[in-house]
Amino acid sequence: MRNKVVVLAIVAVGLFAYTKVMARIGSGSPPPDAPVDQRADLIRVYKSERRMVLLKGDAPIATYQISLGSAADAGPKQREGDEKTPEGRYEIDWRNPKSMAHLSLHISYPKPEEQRAANVNGFPPGGNIMIHGLPNGWGLLGEAHRLWDWTDGCIAVTNAEMRDIWARVPDRTPIDIMP
């Protein structure tokens, strides 16, 4: 029994170390921008369906199955650590090619009114809500990550999907996140 516990502890420490090292190594080079006619001008997220759609005009140009914050069905994000995904209209305001997850696009949460509400209630609203791929080094999980909601409030896709999204979504693209 003791040997099993020691082996499990070594494996757990090894996986933790692997994850930390891979987070520092980064995602590699981001893809080039897609041609203008293939770029989205709106992102729509349907939390209850675990679906994200890129639109150009009124036409969908890509659809992705997603994972969300582990408490995503409990309403909109209100505070740091609640593991909820925000709801409302935001925009993609910056991108991180050196993210701890495979590439990431930042969502402009919190809005000023969300910041004020959190301040009134005496807690931080949280932040760093992103659309991102899998944690660096864990890309082999692929679609299996969709079996459960595992983020802290972000929107997660596979690494291949994230490369596609990165290329198709310019900065300042609006994103509607609906219940």
Side-chain angles (χ1 to χ4, degrees):
M1 175 69 171
R2 182 169 188 250
N3 288 342
K4 288 181 183 178
V5 171
V6 170
V7 168
L8 283 175
I10 290 169
V11 168
V13 169
L15 289 173
F16 179 78
Y18 172 77
T19 300
K20 290 296 184 182
V21 167
M22 294 309 293
R24 290 191 184 276
I25 289 173
S27 305
S29 300
D33 292 342
V36 173
D37 65 327
Q38 295 175 22
R39 292 187 203 158
D41 53 26
L42 176 65
I43 304 167
R44 195 163 285 144
V45 174
Y46 302 91
K47 287 174 49 174
S48 63
E49 298 174 25
R50 302 304 190 264
R51 183 170 58 102
M52 180 171 69
V53 180
L54 304 186
L55 297 125
K56 181 150 191 87
D58 292 331
I61 58 172
T63 300
Y64 311 91
Q65 292 305 121
I66 58 175
S67 291
L68 298 171
S70 57
D73 292 329
K77 185 161 196 64
Q78 297 175 325
R79 65 185 305 164
E80 185 174 336
D82 66 9
E83 298 187 347
K84 296 177 182 178
T85 300
E87 294 175 5
R89 163 96 19 137
Y90 302 92
E91 70 177 23
I92 302 303
D93 56 357
W94 53 271
R95 53 190 61 231
N96 185 357
K98 302 280 188 207
S99 174
M100 66 165 284
H102 186 72
L103 306 173
S104 60
L105 301 176
H106 186 261
I107 297 169
S108 62
Y109 173 87
K111 294 184 266 190
E113 60 270 20
E114 292 163 327
Q115 179 70 55
R116 280 192 298 280
N119 291 345
V120 164
N121 290 307
F123 48 77
N128 279 337
I129 302 299
M130 315 286 253
I131 300 171
H132 62 71
L134 299 176
N136 291 326
W138 293 98
L140 290 175
L141 289 176
E143 295 178 13
H145 84 92
R146 296 185 189 123
L147 295 174
W148 67 95
D149 288 321
W150 56 272
T151 77
D152 290 331
C154 295
I155 299 166
V157 295
T158 68
N159 290 354
E161 291 168 334
M162 190 62 223
R163 294 183 70 75
D164 185 54
I165 294 163
W166 180 281
R168 290 175 178 251
V169 175
D171 288 346
R172 302 286 169 232
T173 300
I175 177 170
D176 290 333
I177 305 174
M178 297 178 269

